[in-house]
Amino acid sequence: MIRKPAVAGLFYDKNPSELKKTIEWCFNHKLGPGKVPELGISDDDPNKDNIYGAVVPHAGYSYSGPIAAHAYCEIVENGFPETFIILCPNHTGLGTGISIFKEGIWSTPLGNIEVDEEFAEEMIINSDLIDSDTSAHIREHSCEVHLPFLQYFSNDFKIVPIVIWMQDMESGSDIANSITKTAKKLGRSILMIASTDLTHYESKQIAEKKDKLILDAISNMDEHSLLKAVEDFRISMCGYGPTIAVIKASRSLGAKKGKILKYATSGDISGDLSSVVGYCSAIFD
């Protein structure tokens, strides 16, 4: 199966050359890292901090691209793994509680990427909740938007896309355990991406206050504090489930700390501070 782009021309350019220019704009933007990184070599140097997971926003590139570029700058310089596990929330309501895209190819304007079929199949075996389901992925943007950022530097990697509707601690634990068991069994080098935006459509002042609770939880790799903040303060973070799963799996695989790379809101780009969406880039290493 070939999964064709759902949001090319909407969230990012559908013309390959224009898309590359936009990605470069994201890296060089005043809210971005200020440089286009060079792809490093992934190795087993014991003195090198290995990136196990990342938190990355998924809005249109003109809004969240510069913030997302901070995470990708670190990922690129660290060197690509064999497989990226991309966990995202379900915005469409399609599919099952936890839907994995088990086999096939994902197409973007920058080329095709293979799904890591072996990893996906093993994840289903190691889980009580994950289903093989493509319907949740067909119109979902929150995995797709990450791919061109990676493809700008290389197409030499595979992906395991997972759409999560059931965002709770039990589901996050099940996913994390499955990823950990599968990675260890297959000996696969992986990097997990939790695709999420933070507070939606509140004033910048309120969004920053709420999002500070999320940023602290991410920094401390404290999934319980994150979920409590979301529930107690009704924070409209769309991908808290993916973030919980990535924190837990990163810790199981060896991550010692979380690091916030950049936080900003849509208002910092648009100038409209009355109704913003919060974005952050973070890594777990």
PDB file of all heavy atoms in Angstrom, residues 210-243:
ATOM      1  N   LYS A 210      -0.112  27.523  31.403  1.00  0.00           N
ATOM      2  CA  LYS A 210      -0.467  26.103  31.375  1.00  0.00           C
ATOM      3  C   LYS A 210       0.663  25.261  30.817  1.00  0.00           C
ATOM      4  O   LYS A 210       0.995  24.190  31.351  1.00  0.00           O
ATOM      5  CB  LYS A 210      -1.738  25.903  30.539  1.00  0.00           C
ATOM      6  CG  LYS A 210      -3.013  26.420  31.194  1.00  0.00           C
ATOM      7  CD  LYS A 210      -4.239  26.057  30.368  1.00  0.00           C
ATOM      8  CE  LYS A 210      -5.518  26.420  31.101  1.00  0.00           C
ATOM      9  NZ  LYS A 210      -6.731  26.030  30.324  1.00  0.00           N
ATOM     10  N   ASP A 211       1.267  25.742  29.740  1.00  0.00           N
ATOM     11  CA  ASP A 211       2.302  24.952  29.078  1.00  0.00           C
ATOM     12  C   ASP A 211       3.552  24.803  29.935  1.00  0.00           C
ATOM     13  O   ASP A 211       4.306  23.839  29.776  1.00  0.00           O
ATOM     14  CB  ASP A 211       2.666  25.578  27.724  1.00  0.00           C
ATOM     15  CG  ASP A 211       1.556  25.408  26.698  1.00  0.00           C
ATOM     16  OD1 ASP A 211       0.662  24.565  26.922  1.00  0.00           O
ATOM     17  OD2 ASP A 211       1.582  26.106  25.667  1.00  0.00           O
ATOM     18  N   LYS A 212       3.766  25.741  30.854  1.00  0.00           N
ATOM     19  CA  LYS A 212       4.908  25.620  31.765  1.00  0.00           C
ATOM     20  C   LYS A 212       4.822  24.312  32.561  1.00  0.00           C
ATOM     21  O   LYS A 212       5.836  23.663  32.835  1.00  0.00           O
ATOM     22  CB  LYS A 212       4.941  26.817  32.708  1.00  0.00           C
ATOM     23  CG  LYS A 212       6.030  26.783  33.770  1.00  0.00           C
ATOM     24  CD  LYS A 212       7.428  26.846  33.169  1.00  0.00           C
ATOM     25  CE  LYS A 212       8.499  27.222  34.196  1.00  0.00           C
ATOM     26  NZ  LYS A 212       8.510  26.348  35.389  1.00  0.00           N
ATOM     27  N   LEU A 213       3.617  23.898  32.929  1.00  0.00           N
ATOM     28  CA  LEU A 213       3.431  22.646  33.653  1.00  0.00           C
ATOM     29  C   LEU A 213       3.836  21.453  32.795  1.00  0.00           C
ATOM     30  O   LEU A 213       4.450  20.492  33.277  1.00  0.00           O
ATOM     31  CB  LEU A 213       1.970  22.501  34.085  1.00  0.00           C
ATOM     32  CG  LEU A 213       1.416  23.606  34.997  1.00  0.00           C
ATOM     33  CD1 LEU A 213      -0.082  23.422  35.188  1.00  0.00           C
ATOM     34  CD2 LEU A 213       2.135  23.602  36.336  1.00  0.00           C
ATOM     35  N   ILE A 214       3.501  21.520  31.523  1.00  0.00           N
ATOM     36  CA  ILE A 214       3.859  20.444  30.593  1.00  0.00           C
ATOM     37  C   ILE A 214       5.362  20.416  30.364  1.00  0.00           C
ATOM     38  O   ILE A 214       5.989  19.346  30.373  1.00  0.00           O
ATOM     39  CB  ILE A 214       3.122  20.624  29.254  1.00  0.00           C
ATOM     40  CG1 ILE A 214       1.598  20.617  29.463  1.00  0.00           C
ATOM     41  CG2 ILE A 214       3.546  19.567  28.253  1.00  0.00           C
ATOM     42  CD1 ILE A 214       1.055  19.336  30.034  1.00  0.00           C
ATOM     43  N   LEU A 215       5.959  21.573  30.184  1.00  0.00           N
ATOM     44  CA  LEU A 215       7.404  21.649  29.945  1.00  0.00           C
ATOM     45  C   LEU A 215       8.183  21.106  31.141  1.00  0.00           C
ATOM     46  O   LEU A 215       9.182  20.396  30.971  1.00  0.00           O
ATOM     47  CB  LEU A 215       7.817  23.092  29.653  1.00  0.00           C
ATOM     48  CG  LEU A 215       7.196  23.750  28.425  1.00  0.00           C
ATOM     49  CD1 LEU A 215       7.677  25.190  28.298  1.00  0.00           C
ATOM     50  CD2 LEU A 215       7.514  22.982  27.164  1.00  0.00           C
ATOM     51  N   ASP A 216       7.721  21.423  32.341  1.00  0.00           N
ATOM     52  CA  ASP A 216       8.395  20.911  33.544  1.00  0.00           C
ATOM     53  C   ASP A 216       8.308  19.384  33.599  1.00  0.00           C
ATOM     54  O   ASP A 216       9.284  18.709  33.955  1.00  0.00           O
ATOM     55  CB  ASP A 216       7.763  21.513  34.801  1.00  0.00           C
ATOM     56  CG  ASP A 216       8.131  22.980  35.003  1.00  0.00           C
ATOM     57  OD1 ASP A 216       9.068  23.451  34.326  1.00  0.00           O
ATOM     58  OD2 ASP A 216       7.465  23.646  35.818  1.00  0.00           O
ATOM     59  N   ALA A 217       7.145  18.846  33.263  1.00  0.00           N
ATOM     60  CA  ALA A 217       6.968  17.386  33.287  1.00  0.00           C
ATOM     61  C   ALA A 217       7.852  16.714  32.245  1.00  0.00           C
ATOM     62  O   ALA A 217       8.449  15.661  32.500  1.00  0.00           O
ATOM     63  CB  ALA A 217       5.501  17.034  33.055  1.00  0.00           C
ATOM     64  N   ILE A 218       7.954  17.316  31.077  1.00  0.00           N
ATOM     65  CA  ILE A 218       8.815  16.760  30.022  1.00  0.00           C
ATOM     66  C   ILE A 218      10.274  16.813  30.459  1.00  0.00           C
ATOM     67  O   ILE A 218      11.017  15.836  30.305  1.00  0.00           O
ATOM     68  CB  ILE A 218       8.597  17.517  28.696  1.00  0.00           C
ATOM     69  CG1 ILE A 218       7.204  17.200  28.124  1.00  0.00           C
ATOM     70  CG2 ILE A 218       9.685  17.164  27.683  1.00  0.00           C
ATOM     71  CD1 ILE A 218       6.822  18.036  26.918  1.00  0.00           C
ATOM     72  N   SER A 219      10.690  17.936  31.015  1.00  0.00           N
ATOM     73  CA  SER A 219      12.077  18.084  31.478  1.00  0.00           C
ATOM     74  C   SER A 219      12.430  17.024  32.516  1.00  0.00           C
ATOM     75  O   SER A 219      13.544  16.492  32.534  1.00  0.00           O
ATOM     76  CB  SER A 219      12.296  19.471  32.082  1.00  0.00           C
ATOM     77  OG  SER A 219      12.198  20.471  31.113  1.00  0.00           O
ATOM     78  N   ASN A 220      11.475  16.732  33.396  1.00  0.00           N
ATOM     79  CA  ASN A 220      11.705  15.762  34.473  1.00  0.00           C
ATOM     80  C   ASN A 220      11.388  14.334  34.061  1.00  0.00           C
ATOM     81  O   ASN A 220      11.508  13.412  34.882  1.00  0.00           O
ATOM     82  CB  ASN A 220      10.861  16.143  35.694  1.00  0.00           C
ATOM     83  CG  ASN A 220      11.273  17.462  36.310  1.00  0.00           C
ATOM     84  OD1 ASN A 220      12.459  17.784  36.358  1.00  0.00           O
ATOM     85  ND2 ASN A 220      10.312  18.237  36.772  1.00  0.00           N
ATOM     86  N   MET A 221      10.965  14.151  32.804  1.00  0.00           N
ATOM     87  CA  MET A 221      10.536  12.838  32.309  1.00  0.00           C
ATOM     88  C   MET A 221       9.518  12.228  33.268  1.00  0.00           C
ATOM     89  O   MET A 221       9.579  11.049  33.612  1.00  0.00           O
ATOM     90  CB  MET A 221      11.736  11.904  32.100  1.00  0.00           C
ATOM     91  CG  MET A 221      12.706  12.381  31.035  1.00  0.00           C
ATOM     92  SD  MET A 221      14.041  11.205  30.695  1.00  0.00           S
ATOM     93  CE  MET A 221      13.116   9.853  29.929  1.00  0.00           C
ATOM     94  N   ASP A 222       8.559  13.043  33.674  1.00  0.00           N
ATOM     95  CA  ASP A 222       7.562  12.643  34.662  1.00  0.00           C
ATOM     96  C   ASP A 222       6.200  12.564  33.980  1.00  0.00           C
ATOM     97  O   ASP A 222       5.449  13.545  33.930  1.00  0.00           O
ATOM     98  CB  ASP A 222       7.548  13.661  35.806  1.00  0.00           C
ATOM     99  CG  ASP A 222       6.636  13.237  36.953  1.00  0.00           C
ATOM    100  OD1 ASP A 222       5.810  12.315  36.761  1.00  0.00           O
ATOM    101  OD2 ASP A 222       6.726  13.849  38.034  1.00  0.00           O
ATOM    102  N   GLU A 223       5.887  11.393  33.455  1.00  0.00           N
ATOM    103  CA  GLU A 223       4.635  11.210  32.724  1.00  0.00           C
ATOM    104  C   GLU A 223       3.408  11.339  33.629  1.00  0.00           C
ATOM    105  O   GLU A 223       2.330  11.748  33.175  1.00  0.00           O
ATOM    106  CB  GLU A 223       4.622   9.856  32.005  1.00  0.00           C
ATOM    107  CG  GLU A 223       4.615   8.635  32.895  1.00  0.00           C
ATOM    108  CD  GLU A 223       6.003   8.169  33.314  1.00  0.00           C
ATOM    109  OE1 GLU A 223       6.957   8.981  33.283  1.00  0.00           O
ATOM    110  OE2 GLU A 223       6.130   6.983  33.665  1.00  0.00           O
ATOM    111  N   HIS A 224       3.567  11.029  34.914  1.00  0.00           N
ATOM    112  CA  HIS A 224       2.440  11.131  35.834  1.00  0.00           C
ATOM    113  C   HIS A 224       2.075  12.597  36.092  1.00  0.00           C
ATOM    114  O   HIS A 224       0.887  12.952  36.124  1.00  0.00           O
ATOM    115  CB  HIS A 224       2.762  10.411  37.143  1.00  0.00           C
ATOM    116  CG  HIS A 224       2.985   8.939  36.962  1.00  0.00           C
ATOM    117  ND1 HIS A 224       1.948   8.053  36.791  1.00  0.00           N
ATOM    118  CD2 HIS A 224       4.128   8.202  36.899  1.00  0.00           C
ATOM    119  CE1 HIS A 224       2.433   6.831  36.631  1.00  0.00           C
ATOM    120  NE2 HIS A 224       3.752   6.897  36.699  1.00  0.00           N
ATOM    121  N   SER A 225       3.088  13.448  36.266  1.00  0.00           N
ATOM    122  CA  SER A 225       2.824  14.882  36.429  1.00  0.00           C
ATOM    123  C   SER A 225       2.218  15.469  35.167  1.00  0.00           C
ATOM    124  O   SER A 225       1.348  16.352  35.227  1.00  0.00           O
ATOM    125  CB  SER A 225       4.118  15.629  36.772  1.00  0.00           C
ATOM    126  OG  SER A 225       4.567  15.290  38.055  1.00  0.00           O
ATOM    127  N   LEU A 226       2.657  14.987  34.017  1.00  0.00           N
ATOM    128  CA  LEU A 226       2.123  15.481  32.748  1.00  0.00           C
ATOM    129  C   LEU A 226       0.635  15.176  32.647  1.00  0.00           C
ATOM    130  O   LEU A 226      -0.179  16.066  32.356  1.00  0.00           O
ATOM    131  CB  LEU A 226       2.893  14.847  31.584  1.00  0.00           C
ATOM    132  CG  LEU A 226       2.620  15.413  30.187  1.00  0.00           C
ATOM    133  CD1 LEU A 226       3.848  15.272  29.308  1.00  0.00           C
ATOM    134  CD2 LEU A 226       1.441  14.710  29.503  1.00  0.00           C
ATOM    135  N   LEU A 227       0.270  13.929  32.903  1.00  0.00           N
ATOM    136  CA  LEU A 227      -1.137  13.551  32.797  1.00  0.00           C
ATOM    137  C   LEU A 227      -1.984  14.284  33.833  1.00  0.00           C
ATOM    138  O   LEU A 227      -3.110  14.725  33.539  1.00  0.00           O
ATOM    139  CB  LEU A 227      -1.287  12.040  32.967  1.00  0.00           C
ATOM    140  CG  LEU A 227      -2.706  11.480  32.830  1.00  0.00           C
ATOM    141  CD1 LEU A 227      -3.308  11.824  31.472  1.00  0.00           C
ATOM    142  CD2 LEU A 227      -2.708   9.970  33.036  1.00  0.00           C
ATOM    143  N   LYS A 228      -1.459  14.434  35.040  1.00  0.00           N
ATOM    144  CA  LYS A 228      -2.197  15.147  36.090  1.00  0.00           C
ATOM    145  C   LYS A 228      -2.434  16.602  35.700  1.00  0.00           C
ATOM    146  O   LYS A 228      -3.530  17.150  35.912  1.00  0.00           O
ATOM    147  CB  LYS A 228      -1.425  15.080  37.412  1.00  0.00           C
ATOM    148  CG  LYS A 228      -2.207  15.600  38.620  1.00  0.00           C
ATOM    149  CD  LYS A 228      -1.438  15.378  39.906  1.00  0.00           C
ATOM    150  CE  LYS A 228      -2.302  15.696  41.135  1.00  0.00           C
ATOM    151  NZ  LYS A 228      -2.817  17.076  41.126  1.00  0.00           N
ATOM    152  N   ALA A 229      -1.422  17.248  35.108  1.00  0.00           N
ATOM    153  CA  ALA A 229      -1.573  18.635  34.679  1.00  0.00           C
ATOM    154  C   ALA A 229      -2.634  18.757  33.584  1.00  0.00           C
ATOM    155  O   ALA A 229      -3.477  19.667  33.615  1.00  0.00           O
ATOM    156  CB  ALA A 229      -0.236  19.179  34.179  1.00  0.00           C
ATOM    157  N   VAL A 230      -2.598  17.844  32.627  1.00  0.00           N
ATOM    158  CA  VAL A 230      -3.580  17.855  31.548  1.00  0.00           C
ATOM    159  C   VAL A 230      -4.997  17.722  32.107  1.00  0.00           C
ATOM    160  O   VAL A 230      -5.916  18.455  31.705  1.00  0.00           O
ATOM    161  CB  VAL A 230      -3.285  16.725  30.530  1.00  0.00           C
ATOM    162  CG1 VAL A 230      -4.463  16.531  29.576  1.00  0.00           C
ATOM    163  CG2 VAL A 230      -2.026  17.036  29.739  1.00  0.00           C
ATOM    164  N   GLU A 231      -5.161  16.805  33.045  1.00  0.00           N
ATOM    165  CA  GLU A 231      -6.492  16.541  33.593  1.00  0.00           C
ATOM    166  C   GLU A 231      -6.948  17.638  34.557  1.00  0.00           C
ATOM    167  O   GLU A 231      -8.081  18.119  34.480  1.00  0.00           O
ATOM    168  CB  GLU A 231      -6.501  15.185  34.297  1.00  0.00           C
ATOM    169  CG  GLU A 231      -6.326  14.012  33.330  1.00  0.00           C
ATOM    170  CD  GLU A 231      -6.240  12.671  34.037  1.00  0.00           C
ATOM    171  OE1 GLU A 231      -5.977  12.650  35.267  1.00  0.00           O
ATOM    172  OE2 GLU A 231      -6.432  11.653  33.354  1.00  0.00           O
ATOM    173  N   ASP A 232      -6.051  18.065  35.460  1.00  0.00           N
ATOM    174  CA  ASP A 232      -6.443  19.031  36.486  1.00  0.00           C
ATOM    175  C   ASP A 232      -6.708  20.420  35.915  1.00  0.00           C
ATOM    176  O   ASP A 232      -7.600  21.137  36.399  1.00  0.00           O
ATOM    177  CB  ASP A 232      -5.361  19.125  37.566  1.00  0.00           C
ATOM    178  CG  ASP A 232      -5.297  17.889  38.445  1.00  0.00           C
ATOM    179  OD1 ASP A 232      -6.167  17.004  38.290  1.00  0.00           O
ATOM    180  OD2 ASP A 232      -4.359  17.801  39.277  1.00  0.00           O
ATOM    181  N   PHE A 233      -5.926  20.813  34.908  1.00  0.00           N
ATOM    182  CA  PHE A 233      -6.045  22.168  34.372  1.00  0.00           C
ATOM    183  C   PHE A 233      -6.667  22.197  32.975  1.00  0.00           C
ATOM    184  O   PHE A 233      -6.677  23.228  32.320  1.00  0.00           O
ATOM    185  CB  PHE A 233      -4.664  22.843  34.354  1.00  0.00           C
ATOM    186  CG  PHE A 233      -4.091  23.033  35.734  1.00  0.00           C
ATOM    187  CD1 PHE A 233      -3.241  22.084  36.286  1.00  0.00           C
ATOM    188  CD2 PHE A 233      -4.427  24.142  36.493  1.00  0.00           C
ATOM    189  CE1 PHE A 233      -2.709  22.247  37.561  1.00  0.00           C
ATOM    190  CE2 PHE A 233      -3.915  24.310  37.768  1.00  0.00           C
ATOM    191  CZ  PHE A 233      -3.057  23.363  38.310  1.00  0.00           C
ATOM    192  N   ARG A 234      -7.186  21.037  32.574  1.00  0.00           N
ATOM    193  CA  ARG A 234      -7.866  20.937  31.269  1.00  0.00           C
ATOM    194  C   ARG A 234      -7.006  21.526  30.153  1.00  0.00           C
ATOM    195  O   ARG A 234      -7.467  22.352  29.360  1.00  0.00           O
ATOM    196  CB  ARG A 234      -9.237  21.599  31.318  1.00  0.00           C
ATOM    197  CG  ARG A 234     -10.179  20.948  32.317  1.00  0.00           C
ATOM    198  CD  ARG A 234     -11.558  21.558  32.290  1.00  0.00           C
ATOM    199  NE  ARG A 234     -12.453  20.915  33.242  1.00  0.00           N
ATOM    200  CZ  ARG A 234     -13.732  21.236  33.407  1.00  0.00           C
ATOM    201  NH1 ARG A 234     -14.270  22.203  32.688  1.00  0.00           N
ATOM    202  NH2 ARG A 234     -14.477  20.590  34.301  1.00  0.00           N
ATOM    203  N   ILE A 235      -5.776  21.085  30.111  1.00  0.00           N
ATOM    204  CA  ILE A 235      -4.843  21.573  29.092  1.00  0.00           C
ATOM    205  C   ILE A 235      -5.128  20.845  27.782  1.00  0.00           C
ATOM    206  O   ILE A 235      -5.167  19.617  27.735  1.00  0.00           O
ATOM    207  CB  ILE A 235      -3.388  21.354  29.533  1.00  0.00           C
ATOM    208  CG1 ILE A 235      -3.124  22.120  30.835  1.00  0.00           C
ATOM    209  CG2 ILE A 235      -2.420  21.800  28.442  1.00  0.00           C
ATOM    210  CD1 ILE A 235      -1.755  21.858  31.437  1.00  0.00           C
ATOM    211  N   SER A 236      -5.323  21.597  26.723  1.00  0.00           N
ATOM    212  CA  SER A 236      -5.739  21.034  25.433  1.00  0.00           C
ATOM    213  C   SER A 236      -4.548  20.567  24.592  1.00  0.00           C
ATOM    214  O   SER A 236      -4.504  20.774  23.376  1.00  0.00           O
ATOM    215  CB  SER A 236      -6.572  22.063  24.657  1.00  0.00           C
ATOM    216  OG  SER A 236      -5.902  23.313  24.599  1.00  0.00           O
ATOM    217  N   MET A 237      -3.597  19.941  25.241  1.00  0.00           N
ATOM    218  CA  MET A 237      -2.454  19.316  24.565  1.00  0.00           C
ATOM    219  C   MET A 237      -2.976  18.106  23.794  1.00  0.00           C
ATOM    220  O   MET A 237      -3.518  17.173  24.386  1.00  0.00           O
ATOM    221  CB  MET A 237      -1.425  18.892  25.615  1.00  0.00           C
ATOM    222  CG  MET A 237      -0.234  18.134  25.078  1.00  0.00           C
ATOM    223  SD  MET A 237       0.829  17.603  26.475  1.00  0.00           S
ATOM    224  CE  MET A 237       2.213  16.910  25.571  1.00  0.00           C
ATOM    225  N   CYS A 238      -2.811  18.094  22.473  1.00  0.00           N
ATOM    226  CA  CYS A 238      -3.481  17.052  21.684  1.00  0.00           C
ATOM    227  C   CYS A 238      -2.753  15.713  21.722  1.00  0.00           C
ATOM    228  O   CYS A 238      -3.374  14.666  21.542  1.00  0.00           O
ATOM    229  CB  CYS A 238      -3.664  17.512  20.243  1.00  0.00           C
ATOM    230  SG  CYS A 238      -2.149  18.029  19.418  1.00  0.00           S
ATOM    231  N   GLY A 239      -1.447  15.706  21.977  1.00  0.00           N
ATOM    232  CA  GLY A 239      -0.690  14.463  21.934  1.00  0.00           C
ATOM    233  C   GLY A 239      -0.052  14.085  23.253  1.00  0.00           C
ATOM    234  O   GLY A 239       1.109  13.664  23.293  1.00  0.00           O
ATOM    235  N   TYR A 240      -0.816  14.203  24.335  1.00  0.00           N
ATOM    236  CA  TYR A 240      -0.220  13.831  25.631  1.00  0.00           C
ATOM    237  C   TYR A 240      -0.023  12.318  25.725  1.00  0.00           C
ATOM    238  O   TYR A 240       0.912  11.851  26.375  1.00  0.00           O
ATOM    239  CB  TYR A 240      -1.039  14.369  26.797  1.00  0.00           C
ATOM    240  CG  TYR A 240      -2.460  13.871  26.916  1.00  0.00           C
ATOM    241  CD1 TYR A 240      -2.763  12.743  27.665  1.00  0.00           C
ATOM    242  CD2 TYR A 240      -3.500  14.550  26.289  1.00  0.00           C
ATOM    243  CE1 TYR A 240      -4.071  12.286  27.792  1.00  0.00           C
ATOM    244  CE2 TYR A 240      -4.810  14.106  26.404  1.00  0.00           C
ATOM    245  CZ  TYR A 240      -5.091  12.978  27.147  1.00  0.00           C
ATOM    246  OH  TYR A 240      -6.390  12.527  27.263  1.00  0.00           O
ATOM    247  N   GLY A 241      -0.874  11.534  25.068  1.00  0.00           N
ATOM    248  CA  GLY A 241      -0.693  10.085  25.056  1.00  0.00           C
ATOM    249  C   GLY A 241       0.606   9.659  24.395  1.00  0.00           C
ATOM    250  O   GLY A 241       1.385   8.880  24.965  1.00  0.00           O
ATOM    251  N   PRO A 242       0.873  10.147  23.165  1.00  0.00           N
ATOM    252  CA  PRO A 242       2.171   9.867  22.551  1.00  0.00           C
ATOM    253  C   PRO A 242       3.345  10.315  23.410  1.00  0.00           C
ATOM    254  O   PRO A 242       4.373   9.622  23.485  1.00  0.00           O
ATOM    255  CB  PRO A 242       2.109  10.654  21.240  1.00  0.00           C
ATOM    256  CG  PRO A 242       0.664  10.689  20.892  1.00  0.00           C
ATOM    257  CD  PRO A 242      -0.047  10.806  22.218  1.00  0.00           C
ATOM    258  N   THR A 243       3.219  11.463  24.073  1.00  0.00           N
ATOM    259  CA  THR A 243       4.312  11.966  24.903  1.00  0.00           C
ATOM    260  C   THR A 243       4.552  11.058  26.101  1.00  0.00           C
ATOM    261  O   THR A 243       5.701  10.755  26.459  1.00  0.00           O
ATOM    262  CB  THR A 243       4.028  13.407  25.364  1.00  0.00           C
ATOM    263  OG1 THR A 243       3.737  14.222  24.222  1.00  0.00           O
ATOM    264  CG2 THR A 243       5.226  13.992  26.089  1.00  0.00           C
TER     265      THR A 243
END
